[in-house]
Amino acid sequence: MNMENLKQWLTLDHVLSLLDHYRSFGIFPGIAATLLESFFPILPMVVFVMANAAAFGLWKGFFISWIGASLGSLIVFWLTRKIGQQRFFHFVRRHPKVRQFMHWIERHGFGPLFLLYCFPFTPSALVNIVAGLSRISRQQFVLAVLLGKMIMIFTISFIGYDLVALVRQPLRTAAIAVVVLLLWYAGKRVEARFSLTEKQRSEEGSVKSSMKTPHRSSH
């Protein structure tokens, strides 16, 4: 299956038809779809959440997506903690960007993780793995996942529950657009803060290194 066929297979209409086809399995297909996105970030979380809301209703669809997405993140985090000492993860740990992200998470804990999980387009699979490799506490991670994904998934579910209303109710559409813009802006601020913190840390390290280097006296 090439990329073009995959895009067509993962459209909202096709996912809705799959949920209807497997309706006899109850809520499990909806949970499985959002759970698998934590392992395969190429899968469209937004489409799965909107489909669940349209197929099962706003609140039931929201809970289905929230359970699946949260379980997926927690499983990836747990697996990374269990096998994080394997040779492959040693290679990942040595990557400069991964190490910076790990240190950033360790220093700031719950706050940035919560914000990252609030954003629909955060690569959660990467965040889950890096958090698992870091020394952040399980309690902080679980809380960030549950609360952050709750906000993100409810926002998408609210949009996907009644797409027609977005056209018929312009005020509702405007409110949703404002929320999305605020989330986008907050995400850019977190990203900028991360870059600034790491730049300052690098400069401080250079200063300390230069101070420790003995200067040779000239004769």
Side-chain angles (χ1 to χ4, degrees), residues 62-104:
F62 157 70
F63 279 111
I64 289 171
S65 299
W66 183 45
I67 291 169
S70 298
L71 278 177
S73 290
L74 296 176
I75 290 172
V76 172
F77 176 83
W78 178 78
L79 287 175
T80 305
R81 280 282 166 96
K82 287 292 184 182
I83 62 176
Q85 303 303 318
Q86 300 297 324
R87 181 173 298 177
F88 170 75
F89 283 101
H90 283 179
F91 168 77
V92 174
R93 282 175 182 270
R94 287 196 296 269
H95 193 282
K97 291 294 185 181
V98 173
R99 292 184 65 84
Q100 290 176 1
F101 195 14
M102 285 170 55
H103 294 322
W104 188 62

Side-chain angles (χ1 to χ4, degrees), residues 115-122 148 152 182-184 186-188 190:
L115 288 175
L116 285 172
Y117 285 123
C118 285
F119 310 138
F121 305 108
T122 294
M152 181 268 288
L182 288 174
L183 289 174
W184 174 83
K188 298 302 289 183
V190 170

Side-chain angles (χ1 to χ4, degrees), residues 7 16 30 38 50 64 71 109 130 149 165 174 201:
K7 289 180 179 178
L16 279 170
S38 298
M50 292 177 71
I64 289 171
L71 278 177
V130 175
K149 286 189 176 292
R201 183 170 175 269

Side-chain angles (χ1 to χ4, degrees), residues 197-210:
T197 301
E198 292 306 323
K199 182 179 179 181
Q200 291 174 341
R201 183 170 175 269
S202 177
E203 291 174 351
E204 290 175 359
S206 299
V207 172
K208 291 179 180 178
S209 177
S210 62

Side-chain angles (χ1 to χ4, degrees), residues 11-28:
T11 60
L12 180 59
D13 289 338
H14 192 262
V15 173
L16 279 170
S17 67
L18 287 175
L19 290 176
D20 184 64
H21 181 73
Y22 293 104
R23 186 169 291 274
S24 59
F25 290 93
I27 65 175
F28 294 106

